[in-house]
Amino acid sequence: MSADSLLAILEPTAQIVALVVIVTGLANNAVYSVEMVVAWLVLRGRPPVERGRTLWTEFGDIAVPITLIVPAFNEEANIVNSVQSFLSLNYPVFDIVVVNDGSKDGTLQALIDEFLLTPVVRDYEPDVPHRPIRQLLGSESHPNLLVVDKANGGKADALNAGINLSRLPLFCGVDADSILDPDALIRAVVPFIEDPERTVAVGGTIRIANGCTVRGGRIVEVGLARQPLALLQTVEYLRAFLMARLALSRMRVLTLISGAFGIFPRDVAIAVGGYSEGTVGEDFEIVVKIHRHMLDQGRPYVIEFVPDPVCWTEAPE
C-alpha cells in the first residue's frame, strides 16, 4: 500500500476521532456548567451552620441515634487512632461497630490491647448475609464500642455484618483510615431530622488529608499535598463533591454516596438486601438498589448530599 493510499484511509478516520473528542468535551463541559450553577444556587440558599454550641443547641436533643460501622482489614497502623477519633465525636447517642474482616496483621490485637476488649454475647438476626463471625468483643470503659471478628469476605461483607450487629435506626459506613470532623455526624443527620419520612440516604463531603497536619485523630491544620498526583485528586474531590454531587442531589438523580461517609436507615438497607458482594463499588450499588426499591414501592423519597460534613481520607501518591 502506498503512502498516499494509507493517508487517504487515515485522514477521514482521524477527522472522525477528532470530532468525537471535541463533541464529547463540549458535552462534558456543558454538564459541568449546569452542575456548577445548580450547586452555586444551593450553597447560596443554604449557608453553613456555625460549629460547636449552635449545632448542639439546635439539633442535640432531636438527633437520631447512629451506629458507625467501620470495616477494617490490615489496619494495624491506624485503627487505634481512628477508633479514638470516632469515640470523641460530638454526637448525643451513637455506637461504634468495628468489623475486623479477617485481618492478617495485628489489627485485632491492637484493638484488644488499647481498649481492653473481652468476649461478649449479643443476640442478633442474620438479616443480611455475611461470612461467619468468630467472636464479639466489648470494652467496659467504652460501652458503645463493639468489635466484630469475622472471616474475611471483603468490605461489602464486613458492612453487612455491621448492619446485623447494629441496634440503632441509622448507620454510617466509615473507612477505617478516615478522619471525621467532630461535628460531621450532627451536620449530616439534619435531613433525617427535617424530613424523616422521605430521607433514605445522606452523603457528606470527602476531603484529601494529604498535606494536612493531624494530631490526636483530628485535622488541626489544613494544607495541600506537594505530590502532583495527590494535588490533582484534591482538585477532583472538590469538583466531585462540592459541585457534582451537590447538584445531582438537588436534581434528585444522585446515584453515588461515598463508602467513606454515608448514612442510611438500617431498615431500608435490610429491605434491599444490604451491600452486594462481587461488585466494583458497593457504595454505588446500594444507592442504586435503594432507588429501585423505593420506585417499586411507589414511595416518595429523597437522597441528600450535605456539603457541610467533612470526612478526611488519605489519597494514594
Side-chain angles (χ1 to χ4, degrees):
M1 181 180 295
S2 65
D4 292 339
S5 300
L6 182 61
L7 183 61
I9 296 174
L10 292 180
E11 186 174 359
T13 303
Q15 291 176 347
I16 294 173
V17 171
L19 182 61
V20 170
V21 171
I22 292 172
V23 171
T24 303
L26 291 174
N28 196 44
N29 288 333
V31 171
Y32 284 172
S33 299
V34 172
E35 290 177 345
M36 184 170 59
V37 172
V38 174
W40 177 74
L41 291 172
V42 174
L43 290 173
R44 184 185 181 191
R46 187 173 59 187
V49 180
E50 294 181 6
R51 292 179 179 272
R53 186 173 300 176
T54 302
L55 276 167
W56 194 267
T57 301
E58 189 170 354
F59 302 114
D61 293 336
I62 54 178
V64 186
I66 295 177
T67 298
L68 266 69
I69 302 178
V70 187
F73 178 72
N74 292 347
E75 296 285 353
E76 179 182 6
N78 50 38
I79 189 64
V80 169
N81 287 335
S82 294
V83 173
Q84 288 174 337
S85 171
F86 297 147
L87 286 168
S88 63
L89 290 171
N90 296 333
Y91 201 79
V93 180
F94 68 99
D95 288 341
I96 299 175
V97 177
V98 181
V99 184
N100 177 49
D101 190 41
S103 297
K104 303 182 185 303
D105 63 356
T107 298
L108 181 61
Q109 193 59 49
L111 290 168
I112 292 174
D113 294 342
E114 178 65 25
F115 301 104
L116 304 178
L117 302 177
T118 56
V120 297
V121 176
R122 176 183 290 190
D123 293 331
Y124 67 94
E125 295 293 330
D127 295 310
V128 290
H130 56 77
R131 299 292 191 278
I133 292 176
R134 299 165 179 161
Q135 60 177 334
L136 303 177
L137 302 166
S139 170
E140 289 188 4
S141 58
H142 301 284
N144 63 332
L145 172 63
L146 176 71
V147 175
V148 180
D149 181 29
K150 61 177 287 293
N152 179 260
K155 185 177 179 181
D157 192 77
L159 287 166
N160 284 343
I163 291 173
N164 283 343
L165 269 299
S166 63
R167 300 178 296 187
L168 302 179
L170 300 179
F171 74 88
C172 177
V174 186
D175 286 347
D177 59 352
S178 295
I179 298 173
L180 295 182
D181 274 0
D183 298 325
L185 280 183
I186 203 165
R187 290 175 181 275
V189 82
V190 170
F192 289 103
I193 296 173
E194 295 179 340
D195 195 353
E197 296 298 324
R198 298 194 304 154
T199 304
V200 293
V202 170
T205 298
I206 312 295
R207 296 280 299 277
I208 298 296
N210 302 51
C212 299
T213 303
V214 182
R215 293 197 191 100
R218 289 283 180 264
I219 301 291
V220 296
E221 184 178 349
V222 178
L224 288 175
R226 296 185 177 182
Q227 206 275 345
L229 181 59
L231 192 59
L232 287 173
Q233 290 178 88
T234 300
V235 176
E236 173 60 15
Y237 269 58
L238 290 173
R239 182 205 65 78
F241 286 95
L242 293 183
M243 189 178 80
R245 295 194 190 180
L246 185 57
L248 294 174
S249 172
R250 175 51 60 94
M251 293 186 284
R252 302 302 181 214
V253 292
L254 182 62
T255 56
L256 176 61
I257 288 178
S258 175
F261 186 70
I263 302 178
F264 303 89
R266 182 177 182 271
D267 59 345
V268 172
I270 291 174
V272 301
Y275 288 86
S276 300
E277 296 184 47
T279 62
V280 175
E282 73 287 333
D283 47 2
F284 172 80
E285 185 78 12
I286 193 170
V287 175
V288 172
K289 291 199 298 184
I290 289 174
H291 274 292
R292 173 52 58 196
H293 173 74
M294 301 304 290
L295 291 171
D296 288 345
Q297 295 286 318
R299 293 169 51 188
Y301 71 99
V302 291
I303 295 178
E304 288 282 358
F305 176 81
V306 182
D308 298 341
V310 174
C311 171
W312 300 86
T313 188
E314 194 79 11
E317 295 186 348

